[in-house]
Amino acid sequence: MPSGRATTLAFLFLSLCLLCVGPPLLARKKDVPQPNANEQHRAIHALNRLTFGPRPGDIQHVMAIGVDQWIDLQLHPERVSDDSLTSRLESLRTTRMSTKELAENFPDGQEIRQVMNGKKPMPSDPALRMIYEVQIGRQQQRKDRQQEKAKADPSSEQKSASEDGMTPSGAQTEAKTSGDPAAPAASSSDEHAEASSPAKLTPEEQEQARLREEHLYSDLDVQQLPNLSPDERYKKILSMSPADQFALADDLRGGKGQEFLEGLAPKQKEVLEAVNNPGGVVVSELQQAKLLRAIYSERQLQEVMMDFWFNHFNVFAEKGIDRLFITSYERDVIRPHALGKFEDLLVATAKSPAMLFYLDNWLSVGPDSPQALGIPAHPYAMRYPMRPRPNQGKRPSGLNENYGRELMELHTLSVNGGYSQHDVTEVANVFTGWTIDKPYQGGDFKYEPRMHEPGPKFVLGRKIKPKGEAEGMEVLHRLATSPQTAHFISLKLAERFVSDDPPPALVDRMTKTFLKKKGDIPEVLSMLFHSPEFWDDSTYRDKVKTPFEFVASAVRATGAQVDDAMPLTRQLNKMGMPLYGAQPPTGYSMKADAWVSSSALLNRMNFALALTNGKIRGVQVDVQQLAGGNLSTQPADSNLVLSALETSLLAGDISKQTHDSITAQIDSGVASQPKQQNNSPRTPGDQARSSGVNTLAGLLLGSPEFQRR
């Protein structure tokens, strides 16, 4: 039989060539069955647009309920039971913690330095103490290396001046971790990676590392730790000396610690992962929860809108302490309002510590505010000289226009919304004083009058009278109820659910509904879902999936069992869409041109083949069941198997071109099905049969048709 790898590569090459032809491939092929006005095609289309893709049996379920009735249920998620999801999220403890709890249990770099410099006491809790001890060891190691470099090269001393993590603009800078808790500490990952390289260690450091490792393995016999029961193993680690814990933490970095963590309780695993990357644990669990919700939640439209609104009001998880704020941001800000009133959502994001920190508004100070002018908070304080607060000189004392600009350009009016630079400045003045109370301790929104710019402001031709925090509420109300905002939000919703270039007439009708219903999101969506444009034949499988949509839809289509979602999040990193990892305020694009390229298709095809061939750890797929039965005991014809898989994975919506391409691979031997008598012992031929079926399923998931929804 010809090499499966060779034939798969041949298919990939053909697909890449087809994709590189350009936009015509993105349009629905003429030989794809046209969606007739029947309930099955309506069900398929609704599932492709309102969910992350149909699962086995979903089409029949929606048809039994009735498409319109099912859509109405999805618009009211409180009517849909989602109890089965709870158990899948149970182990992800951080997703249920408050920001204060996260700050206490997964300290950021600044908190570590506070303890390291003696400004705060070392925690008494053994688990938390271990996290601090290891992180302090890492920071001390980095500090020592910086001092050594400074001695060798005095000019390098300036590079350590920003050790407190604050840039001149006030934004905390920390290395990216992609939410992987196995990575080194986020606050010093680059430096520690450099420090842990044996080639760069001094002879003295190498000797210390050798002695520490010898001590660890001789006294504690770490190699025997996995043989202990999980509780005994965990207790043994907590009883180690700080030096031994530091050495063990190094040994658990990367993928080496996965087997070591097997069997531990969720809290125990979190602690051992946090010793290497405290903030990474929080982001990692949030990423896993997002994928599990997209795959398993029965409230699919709510999850789709969660993704939509988070992207619209984007916050970058790798900007400093936003790793701690982002959990509450998604859970307490986006989720309650995802299918509510737009104005309520806008206000909630404006007051969110995650948004305040991400766009630096928490540091924005009015030029003529009491704080900027040095006026004391109390008159009697004038009798005493004012003392500068710690790090005061390192934080900006001026106006920051980031939020004012993005509020109008990205959140409401759009870039062509009719505002000027003067409006940006005035809106920034309005929001001075909107800050965070004790941010590094997980504090919440706080209005600080001393930071607020006094006097009236003029925004979009209208006067805003001086009234402190209420000025911001007035601006948010005006923006939320603006016709330009109604049009912009309607356009983005139509781009998500209809096409990359939606009909202007549809957007106009949605805009009128938005204004009439005072920004009621379900009302606007209901109008959209019942519009003729939404059901037009030209929209059927016309939208290209983002990597997140593709991965979630592939897992759903195969009915896969996900026991560990972390490997799936790593797949998204490879595809260029790490969850919560969009750095610019624009978020990720929903349009095809951002995701369509030969390398993108190659990554998707590799993922599809890995998924169906059981190569992704923690994810189990029964492809043979999708193909119509247990092929290990039944002879099967590859063409019949292909037909069954086309029906189960694509509801038969496959072009002749794609079908013929895969059939050619069957004829060349990529998925041959050697015959076997029933009830005979399993032979190597069974493995070839199973591999062939899995490969067929992977090719279908990687096909142009499955890339579109």
Side-chain angles (χ1 to χ4, degrees):
M1 184 176 72
S3 166
R5 176 176 175 82
T7 49
T8 298
L9 290 176
F11 180 85
L12 280 172
F13 179 76
L14 174 60
S15 299
L16 294 173
C17 291
L18 289 172
L19 188 61
C20 291
V21 169
L25 184 68
L26 301 180
R28 179 176 34 80
K29 296 287 187 296
K30 293 182 179 180
D31 49 6
V32 172
Q34 296 296 309
N36 302 318
N38 60 41
E39 200 73 352
Q40 178 171 330
H41 279 290
R42 294 183 77 239
I44 295 170
H45 186 58
L47 284 163
N48 276 329
R49 296 304 171 89
L50 276 69
T51 79
F52 286 98
R55 299 166 300 184
D58 274 356
I59 297 173
Q60 293 75 15
H61 173 70
V62 172
M63 290 174 63
I65 297 176
V67 175
D68 293 330
Q69 290 80 358
W70 177 80
I71 289 176
D72 184 63
L73 278 174
Q74 288 296 311
L75 285 167
H76 299 88
E78 70 279 0
R79 302 178 188 173
V80 181
S81 173
D82 215 12
D83 293 340
S84 61
L85 181 66
T86 304
S87 61
R88 295 184 180 276
L89 302 177
E90 186 65 29
S91 64
L92 306 177
R93 298 172 59 257
T94 65
T95 61
R96 300 184 295 276
M97 291 183 179
S98 68
T99 305
K100 183 179 180 180
E101 289 174 316
L102 293 175
E104 291 172 349
N105 290 277
F106 303 94
D108 122 289
Q110 178 158 313
E111 290 297 297
I112 299 292
R113 285 187 289 274
Q114 292 280 318
V115 174
M116 179 180 176
N117 297 329
K119 296 179 180 179
K120 287 187 177 181
M122 177 69 73
S124 58
D125 177 76
L128 193 55
R129 173 184 286 269
M130 178 171 64
I131 294 173
Y132 272 86
E133 292 279 12
V134 172
Q135 291 300 308
I136 288 174
R138 294 250 168 89
Q139 293 206 18
Q140 187 61 53
Q141 187 181 61
R142 181 181 61 167
K143 186 175 181 179
D144 292 343
R145 287 190 58 79
Q146 288 175 340
Q147 291 176 349
E148 290 295 327
K149 287 182 179 179
K151 292 179 181 178
D153 180 11
S155 64
S156 67
E157 189 173 5
Q158 297 179 352
K159 297 179 182 179
S160 63
S162 60
E163 187 180 348
D164 60 356
M166 302 298 295
T167 65
S169 64
Q172 187 167 359
T173 56
E174 299 195 22
K176 298 182 183 179
T177 65
S178 300
D180 191 342
S187 59
S188 60
S189 58
D190 288 345
E191 292 86 351
H192 181 67
E194 180 182 359
S196 61
S197 173
K200 296 184 179 181
L201 292 176
T202 64
E204 292 78 12
E205 290 171 329
Q206 291 184 42
E207 178 64 14
Q208 290 175 1
R210 185 187 66 78
L211 292 174
R212 184 171 61 242
E213 183 175 347
E214 282 186 359
H215 173 71
L216 178 67
Y217 279 88
S218 60
D219 290 2
L220 295 171
D221 199 6
V222 145
Q223 293 176 330
Q224 297 302 316
L225 282 177
N227 298 327
L228 299 176
S229 69
D231 284 340
E232 291 176 337
R233 188 189 324 159
Y234 183 70
K235 290 177 182 177
K236 189 73 172 178
I237 294 170
L238 292 185
S239 67
M240 291 179 179
S241 68
D244 292 336
Q245 290 172 342
F246 187 94
L248 178 62
D250 271 352
D251 198 54
L252 296 181
R253 288 174 58 198
K256 297 178 290 184
Q258 294 304 316
E259 293 183 3
F260 190 87
L261 300 177
E262 288 295 328
L264 295 176
K267 183 177 180 179
Q268 295 171 340
K269 290 179 67 175
E270 286 171 355
V271 169
L272 294 185
E273 289 174 337
V275 296
N276 280 316
N277 187 355
V281 174
V282 178
V283 177
S284 170
E285 293 199 356
L286 200 60
Q287 292 173 331
Q288 294 175 66
K290 185 179 179 74
L291 262 169
L292 290 172
R293 288 180 180 277
I295 293 167
Y296 290 111
S297 176
E298 297 296 334
R299 300 171 179 176
Q300 279 287 292
L301 180 59
Q302 183 180 49
E303 297 309 318
V304 167
M305 291 306 297
M306 283 287 296
D307 182 54
F308 175 86
W309 287 124
F310 191 98
N311 203 54
H312 182 79
F313 294 104
N314 183 55
V315 170
F316 179 47
E318 296 304 332
K319 181 174 180 179
I321 55 172
D322 256 336
R323 286 192 298 278
L324 303 181
F325 287 133
I326 206 167
T327 297
S328 175
Y329 181 65
E330 183 174 67
R331 180 190 63 212
D332 305 324
V333 174
I334 304 293
R335 184 169 296 280
H337 305 295
L339 287 169
K341 295 275 190 178
F342 177 76
E343 183 171 351
D344 294 338
L345 176 58
L346 183 65
V347 172
T349 58
K351 288 190 171 183
S352 167
M355 184 65 72
L356 290 166
F357 188 88
Y358 173 55
L359 293 179
D360 302 314
N361 200 82
W362 73 293
L363 295 171
S364 185
V365 178
D368 296 317
S369 67
Q371 179 169 313
L373 297 177
I375 299 174
H378 303 287
Y380 66 80
M382 291 294 292
R383 304 175 188 174
Y384 307 98
M386 293 183 65
R387 297 180 180 179
R389 288 173 293 177
N391 296 328
Q392 187 177 28
K394 298 179 182 179
R395 294 187 177 184
S397 59
L399 189 68
N400 191 297
E401 297 182 351
N402 288 352
Y403 180 69
R405 177 175 292 102
E406 307 307 349
L407 173 64
M408 292 188 287
E409 178 180 331
L410 299 178
H411 298 173
T412 56
L413 304 177
S414 84
V415 67
N416 299 314
Y419 62 90
S420 65
Q421 174 57 39
H422 177 265
D423 292 316
V424 171
T425 302
E426 288 291 81
V427 170
N429 280 317
V430 164
F431 286 100
T432 49
W434 286 46
T435 186
I436 308 171
D437 183 32
K438 300 177 181 178
Y440 293 96
Q441 298 175 33
D444 207 343
F445 168 80
K446 175 186 177 182
Y447 174 70
E448 176 52 71
R450 298 191 69 254
M451 298 172 66
H452 186 67
E453 178 70 7
K457 288 87 177 174
F458 295 86
V459 177
L460 299 172
R462 298 181 65 176
K463 182 179 180 179
I464 306 293
K465 295 180 180 180
K467 47 189 173 183
E469 180 183 349
E471 296 172 25
M473 298 299 292
E474 180 180 343
V475 167
L476 291 174
H477 174 71
R478 290 185 180 182
L479 291 174
T481 56
S482 164
Q484 287 89 346
T485 297
H487 184 273
F488 181 51
I489 299 301
S490 297
L491 174 62
K492 289 197 69 174
L493 287 170
E495 288 174 345
R496 168 58 180 79
F497 289 102
V498 180
S499 69
D500 288 359
D501 187 20
L506 170 63
V507 177
D508 289 342
R509 297 201 308 278
M510 293 172 63
T511 301
K512 292 178 181 178
T513 301
F514 187 103
L515 294 171
K516 181 180 179 180
K517 299 297 182 178
K518 302 184 184 302
D520 189 290
I521 298 165
E523 290 284 355
V524 177
L525 289 175
S526 180
M527 183 267 147
L528 167 63
F529 297 149
H530 291 92
S531 69
E533 291 90 342
F534 178 78
W535 297 104
D536 189 271
D537 286 356
S538 63
T539 68
Y540 191 74
R541 293 197 188 277
D542 181 61
K543 284 284 297 180
V544 172
K545 298 173 183 176
T546 66
F548 175 51
E549 292 168 345
F550 171 68
V551 168
S553 65
V555 175
R556 283 173 63 83
T558 57
Q561 171 65 31
V562 180
D563 298 317
D564 182 1
M566 175 55 72
L568 292 175
T569 68
R570 294 192 181 110
Q571 292 292 324
L572 287 172
N573 295 344
K574 294 179 182 178
M575 295 182 191
M577 195 179 185
L579 298 178
Y580 311 103
Q583 187 168 6
T586 50
Y588 289 119
S589 175
M590 294 183 295
K591 296 187 177 183
D593 55 5
W595 304 111
V596 174
S597 67
S598 57
S599 61
L601 181 60
L602 181 61
N603 285 333
R604 294 188 185 206
M605 180 66 80
N606 286 335
F607 165 75
L609 291 169
L611 175 68
T612 58
N613 281 282
K615 301 298 185 182
I616 297 180
R617 184 179 59 81
V619 183
Q620 302 174 21
V621 179
D622 187 353
V623 175
Q624 296 189 29
Q625 189 64 35
L626 292 172
N630 189 351
L631 300 180
S632 65
T633 59
Q634 298 178 15
D637 180 88
S638 294
N639 290 290
L640 293 178
V641 170
L642 175 60
S643 178
L645 290 173
E646 289 174 349
T647 299
S648 60
L649 297 177
L650 283 162
D653 293 336
I654 188 167
S655 68
K656 184 177 184 300
Q657 189 173 22
T658 299
H659 175 83
D660 290 347
S661 296
I662 298 179
T663 301
Q665 307 312 309
I666 295 175
D667 293 340
S668 67
V670 67
S672 61
Q673 303 293 328
K675 294 185 178 181
Q676 179 184 10
Q677 297 298 321
N678 290 342
N679 302 321
S680 60
R682 187 169 178 82
T683 68
D686 297 334
Q687 297 178 357
R689 177 185 298 107
S690 176
S691 176
V693 174
N694 294 346
T695 299
L696 287 180
L699 294 177
L700 286 171
L701 292 180
S703 69
E705 285 76 18
F706 194 83
Q707 304 304 315
R708 299 192 298 271
R709 54 177 177 81

